[in-house]
Amino acid sequence: QQQVKQSPQSLIVQKGGISIINCAYENTAFDYFPWYQQFPGKGPALLIAIRPDVSEKKEGRFTISFNKSAKQFSLHIMDSQPGDSATYFCAASKGSARQLTFGSGTQLTVLP
Amino acid sequence: DAGVIQSPRHEVTEMGQEVTLRCKPISGHDYLFWYRQTMMRGLELLIYFNNNVPIDDSGMPEDRFSAKMPNASFSTLKIQPSEPRDSAVYFCASSFWAGGQDTQYFGPGTRLTVL
């Protein structure tokens, strides 16, 4: 009930391409869905987040698409750059609870 | 602000030794989280505190692990005795609720190797 399933495990994209990472959740009480970006040797950092009252949120080249009925959300990286190469984690939390349930991570490699 | 500070950054120890990891959260943050990251299990929440009080320690793997937060600016995660399977990167994160959004800020992590 607390799981967040993330796919794919790894992704290779050409520079300028679109990177898409998907997550699915089970607990309908989840109401906050952030994405974190982690570079090697660093801690994860918040990239973008969404709440279920909207179906899409865009910040620069990064977009979250949210499908409440399917209990799925995805991260789209437009015009992917080599500097975007990192591990991306989706996560979810519910209500006033502050702890996050993380997906398993996607290692993105953007080829120059 | 310097962000979340963790020490040491790297720790190599022998099985059976006591290990203490340290964390200084961002000033003003009221929540503090300890995570463990491994290739096999990903990011796991071990324990979290609110206003220095432990709220949920259900992620602590066993009694060998303990965590304290004696004041708002310092927390420790202790492993005694350590075992090779404890080898992982341990992250501390802190957060503050503002404007309907809660952002967890992670430290750089401590890479623990138990021989």
Side-chain angles (χ1 to χ4, degrees), chain A residues 32 36 38 41-44 46 51 89 98-100 102, chain B residues 31 37 45 48 91 95 97 100-104 106-107:
Chain A
Y32 176 63
Y36 279 76
Q38 184 180 25
K42 306 290 186 182
L46 179 67
R51 293 197 178 274
F89 294 92
R98 303 285 284 275
Q99 67 267 40
L100 293 169
F102 281 90
Chain B
Y31 277 76
Q37 185 175 39
L45 177 65
Y48 75 98
F91 289 103
S95 72
W97 186 266
Q101 179 158 318
D102 174 46
T103 300
Q104 289 191 21
F106 283 74

Short mmCIF file of all heavy atoms in Angstrom, two decimals, chain A residues 32 36 38 41-44 46 51 89 98-100 102, chain B residues 31 37 45 48 91 95 97 100-104 106-107:
data_model
loop_
_atom_site.label_atom_id
_atom_site.label_comp_id
_atom_site.label_asym_id
_atom_site.label_seq_id
_atom_site.Cartn_x
_atom_site.Cartn_y
_atom_site.Cartn_z
N TYR A 32 0.97 14.38 -2.44
CA TYR A 32 2.11 15.23 -2.77
C TYR A 32 3.14 14.36 -3.46
O TYR A 32 3.51 13.30 -2.93
CB TYR A 32 2.69 15.86 -1.49
CG TYR A 32 3.94 16.69 -1.71
CD1 TYR A 32 3.91 17.83 -2.48
CD2 TYR A 32 5.15 16.32 -1.11
CE1 TYR A 32 5.06 18.59 -2.66
CE2 TYR A 32 6.29 17.07 -1.28
CZ TYR A 32 6.25 18.21 -2.06
OH TYR A 32 7.38 18.96 -2.24
N TYR A 36 13.00 14.01 -7.28
CA TYR A 36 14.32 14.40 -6.81
C TYR A 36 15.36 13.99 -7.84
O TYR A 36 15.24 12.97 -8.52
CB TYR A 36 14.63 13.76 -5.46
CG TYR A 36 14.01 14.48 -4.29
CD1 TYR A 36 12.65 14.35 -4.00
CD2 TYR A 36 14.77 15.31 -3.47
CE1 TYR A 36 12.08 15.01 -2.93
CE2 TYR A 36 14.21 15.98 -2.40
CZ TYR A 36 12.87 15.82 -2.13
OH TYR A 36 12.31 16.49 -1.07
N GLN A 38 19.53 13.32 -8.32
CA GLN A 38 20.74 13.03 -7.55
C GLN A 38 21.93 12.83 -8.48
O GLN A 38 21.90 11.95 -9.36
CB GLN A 38 20.56 11.79 -6.68
CG GLN A 38 21.76 11.49 -5.78
CD GLN A 38 21.56 10.26 -4.92
OE1 GLN A 38 20.80 9.36 -5.25
NE2 GLN A 38 22.24 10.22 -3.78
N GLY A 41 27.75 11.16 -5.82
CA GLY A 41 28.44 11.74 -4.68
C GLY A 41 27.69 12.85 -3.97
O GLY A 41 28.24 13.47 -3.04
N LYS A 42 26.47 13.09 -4.38
CA LYS A 42 25.65 14.16 -3.78
C LYS A 42 24.37 13.58 -3.21
O LYS A 42 23.96 12.46 -3.54
CB LYS A 42 25.30 15.22 -4.83
CG LYS A 42 26.50 15.81 -5.55
CD LYS A 42 27.32 16.68 -4.65
CE LYS A 42 28.43 17.37 -5.44
NZ LYS A 42 29.29 18.21 -4.57
N GLY A 43 23.73 14.37 -2.35
CA GLY A 43 22.42 13.99 -1.87
C GLY A 43 21.34 14.35 -2.89
O GLY A 43 21.54 15.22 -3.73
N PRO A 44 20.18 13.70 -2.83
CA PRO A 44 19.08 14.06 -3.72
C PRO A 44 18.65 15.51 -3.49
O PRO A 44 18.73 16.01 -2.37
CB PRO A 44 17.96 13.09 -3.31
CG PRO A 44 18.67 11.95 -2.64
CD PRO A 44 19.84 12.57 -1.95
N LEU A 46 15.44 18.37 -4.56
CA LEU A 46 14.11 18.52 -5.15
C LEU A 46 14.21 19.19 -6.52
O LEU A 46 14.84 20.24 -6.68
CB LEU A 46 13.22 19.36 -4.24
CG LEU A 46 11.81 19.60 -4.77
CD1 LEU A 46 11.02 18.29 -4.82
CD2 LEU A 46 11.07 20.62 -3.91
N ARG A 51 0.79 18.45 -6.89
CA ARG A 51 -0.32 17.95 -6.08
C ARG A 51 -1.42 17.49 -7.01
O ARG A 51 -1.53 17.98 -8.13
CB ARG A 51 -0.81 19.03 -5.12
CG ARG A 51 0.23 19.38 -4.07
CD ARG A 51 -0.35 20.12 -2.89
NE ARG A 51 0.67 20.40 -1.89
CZ ARG A 51 1.02 19.55 -0.93
NH1 ARG A 51 0.45 18.37 -0.87
NH2 ARG A 51 1.95 19.88 -0.06
N PHE A 89 14.53 10.24 -8.81
CA PHE A 89 13.65 9.51 -7.91
C PHE A 89 12.28 10.19 -7.88
O PHE A 89 12.21 11.41 -7.66
CB PHE A 89 14.20 9.48 -6.49
CG PHE A 89 15.47 8.71 -6.32
CD1 PHE A 89 16.69 9.34 -6.42
CD2 PHE A 89 15.44 7.35 -6.04
CE1 PHE A 89 17.88 8.64 -6.25
CE2 PHE A 89 16.62 6.64 -5.86
CZ PHE A 89 17.84 7.29 -5.97
N ARG A 98 4.94 13.79 6.94
CA ARG A 98 6.04 14.44 6.27
C ARG A 98 7.01 13.45 5.64
O ARG A 98 7.90 13.84 4.89
CB ARG A 98 6.79 15.33 7.25
CG ARG A 98 5.88 16.37 7.90
CD ARG A 98 5.56 17.49 6.94
NE ARG A 98 6.70 18.38 6.81
CZ ARG A 98 6.95 19.38 7.65
NH1 ARG A 98 6.14 19.61 8.66
NH2 ARG A 98 8.00 20.14 7.48
N GLN A 99 6.86 12.16 5.94
CA GLN A 99 7.83 11.24 5.38
C GLN A 99 7.47 10.91 3.93
O GLN A 99 6.30 10.83 3.56
CB GLN A 99 7.93 9.95 6.20
CG GLN A 99 6.72 9.06 6.17
CD GLN A 99 5.78 9.34 7.32
OE1 GLN A 99 5.55 10.48 7.69
NE2 GLN A 99 5.24 8.29 7.89
N LEU A 100 8.51 10.77 3.12
CA LEU A 100 8.36 10.46 1.70
C LEU A 100 8.59 8.98 1.46
O LEU A 100 9.48 8.38 2.06
CB LEU A 100 9.35 11.26 0.87
CG LEU A 100 9.15 12.77 0.81
CD1 LEU A 100 10.36 13.44 0.16
CD2 LEU A 100 7.89 13.10 0.02
N PHE A 102 9.88 6.74 -1.49
CA PHE A 102 10.62 6.94 -2.73
C PHE A 102 10.47 5.75 -3.68
O PHE A 102 10.37 4.60 -3.25
CB PHE A 102 12.12 7.12 -2.44
CG PHE A 102 12.48 8.50 -1.97
CD1 PHE A 102 12.46 8.81 -0.61
CD2 PHE A 102 12.84 9.49 -2.87
CE1 PHE A 102 12.80 10.09 -0.17
CE2 PHE A 102 13.17 10.77 -2.44
CZ PHE A 102 13.15 11.06 -1.09
N TYR B 31 11.78 19.39 10.96
CA TYR B 31 11.81 17.95 10.76
C TYR B 31 13.21 17.52 10.35
O TYR B 31 13.89 18.21 9.58
CB TYR B 31 10.82 17.52 9.68
CG TYR B 31 9.40 17.35 10.17
CD1 TYR B 31 8.60 18.46 10.43
CD2 TYR B 31 8.86 16.08 10.39
CE1 TYR B 31 7.31 18.30 10.90
CE2 TYR B 31 7.57 15.92 10.84
CZ TYR B 31 6.80 17.03 11.10
OH TYR B 31 5.51 16.88 11.56
N GLN B 37 20.96 4.57 1.79
CA GLN B 37 20.86 4.29 0.35
C GLN B 37 21.82 3.17 -0.02
O GLN B 37 23.02 3.25 0.23
CB GLN B 37 21.17 5.54 -0.49
CG GLN B 37 20.95 5.34 -1.98
CD GLN B 37 21.13 6.62 -2.78
OE1 GLN B 37 22.02 7.44 -2.52
NE2 GLN B 37 20.27 6.82 -3.77
N LEU B 45 13.92 5.21 4.41
CA LEU B 45 13.79 6.07 5.58
C LEU B 45 14.00 5.23 6.84
O LEU B 45 13.34 4.21 7.03
CB LEU B 45 12.40 6.71 5.62
CG LEU B 45 12.10 7.58 6.84
CD1 LEU B 45 13.00 8.80 6.86
CD2 LEU B 45 10.63 8.00 6.84
N TYR B 48 12.59 9.52 11.66
CA TYR B 48 12.51 10.97 11.54
C TYR B 48 12.03 11.60 12.83
O TYR B 48 11.36 10.96 13.64
CB TYR B 48 11.68 11.40 10.32
CG TYR B 48 10.19 11.26 10.43
CD1 TYR B 48 9.38 12.35 10.76
CD2 TYR B 48 9.57 10.06 10.12
CE1 TYR B 48 8.01 12.22 10.81
CE2 TYR B 48 8.20 9.93 10.17
CZ TYR B 48 7.41 11.01 10.50
OH TYR B 48 6.04 10.89 10.55
N PHE B 91 22.13 9.30 4.54
CA PHE B 91 21.78 10.70 4.32
C PHE B 91 20.95 11.23 5.47
O PHE B 91 20.09 10.53 6.02
CB PHE B 91 20.97 10.88 3.03
CG PHE B 91 21.75 10.68 1.77
CD1 PHE B 91 21.64 9.51 1.04
CD2 PHE B 91 22.59 11.68 1.30
CE1 PHE B 91 22.35 9.33 -0.13
CE2 PHE B 91 23.31 11.51 0.13
CZ PHE B 91 23.19 10.33 -0.59
N SER B 95 13.57 19.49 6.86
CA SER B 95 12.51 20.16 6.10
C SER B 95 11.74 21.13 6.98
O SER B 95 11.79 21.07 8.21
CB SER B 95 11.54 19.14 5.50
OG SER B 95 10.73 18.56 6.50
N TRP B 97 7.81 23.21 6.72
CA TRP B 97 6.54 23.36 5.99
C TRP B 97 6.29 24.83 5.72
O TRP B 97 6.20 25.63 6.64
CB TRP B 97 5.41 22.77 6.82
CG TRP B 97 4.10 22.76 6.11
CD1 TRP B 97 3.11 23.71 6.18
CD2 TRP B 97 3.62 21.75 5.23
NE1 TRP B 97 2.06 23.34 5.40
CE2 TRP B 97 2.34 22.16 4.80
CE3 TRP B 97 4.15 20.54 4.77
CZ2 TRP B 97 1.59 21.38 3.93
CZ3 TRP B 97 3.39 19.77 3.89
CH2 TRP B 97 2.13 20.20 3.48
N GLY B 100 2.26 25.48 2.00
CA GLY B 100 1.61 24.25 1.55
C GLY B 100 2.55 23.26 0.89
O GLY B 100 2.10 22.28 0.29
N GLN B 101 3.82 23.52 0.98
CA GLN B 101 4.77 22.58 0.38
C GLN B 101 5.87 22.26 1.37
O GLN B 101 6.33 23.13 2.11
CB GLN B 101 5.38 23.17 -0.89
CG GLN B 101 6.40 22.26 -1.55
CD GLN B 101 6.60 22.58 -3.01
OE1 GLN B 101 5.64 22.83 -3.75
NE2 GLN B 101 7.84 22.57 -3.46
N ASP B 102 6.25 21.01 1.36
CA ASP B 102 7.30 20.55 2.25
C ASP B 102 8.45 20.05 1.39
O ASP B 102 8.27 19.10 0.63
CB ASP B 102 6.77 19.42 3.13
CG ASP B 102 7.84 18.80 3.98
OD1 ASP B 102 8.62 19.56 4.59
OD2 ASP B 102 7.91 17.57 4.05
N THR B 103 9.59 20.67 1.47
CA THR B 103 10.76 20.26 0.71
C THR B 103 11.81 19.70 1.65
O THR B 103 12.19 20.37 2.61
CB THR B 103 11.37 21.44 -0.06
OG1 THR B 103 10.40 21.95 -0.97
CG2 THR B 103 12.61 20.99 -0.83
N GLN B 104 12.24 18.50 1.37
CA GLN B 104 13.32 17.91 2.16
C GLN B 104 14.65 18.27 1.51
O GLN B 104 14.84 18.06 0.32
CB GLN B 104 13.16 16.40 2.25
CG GLN B 104 11.99 15.97 3.11
CD GLN B 104 11.98 14.49 3.41
OE1 GLN B 104 13.01 13.82 3.32
NE2 GLN B 104 10.83 13.97 3.77
N PHE B 106 18.53 17.48 1.47
CA PHE B 106 19.43 16.41 1.85
C PHE B 106 20.86 16.92 2.04
O PHE B 106 21.31 17.83 1.34
CB PHE B 106 19.46 15.33 0.76
CG PHE B 106 18.26 14.43 0.76
CD1 PHE B 106 17.03 14.87 0.31
CD2 PHE B 106 18.36 13.13 1.24
CE1 PHE B 106 15.92 14.03 0.32
CE2 PHE B 106 17.27 12.28 1.24
CZ PHE B 106 16.05 12.74 0.78
N GLY B 107 21.55 16.30 2.98
CA GLY B 107 22.97 16.53 3.12
C GLY B 107 23.75 15.75 2.09
O GLY B 107 23.17 15.01 1.29
#
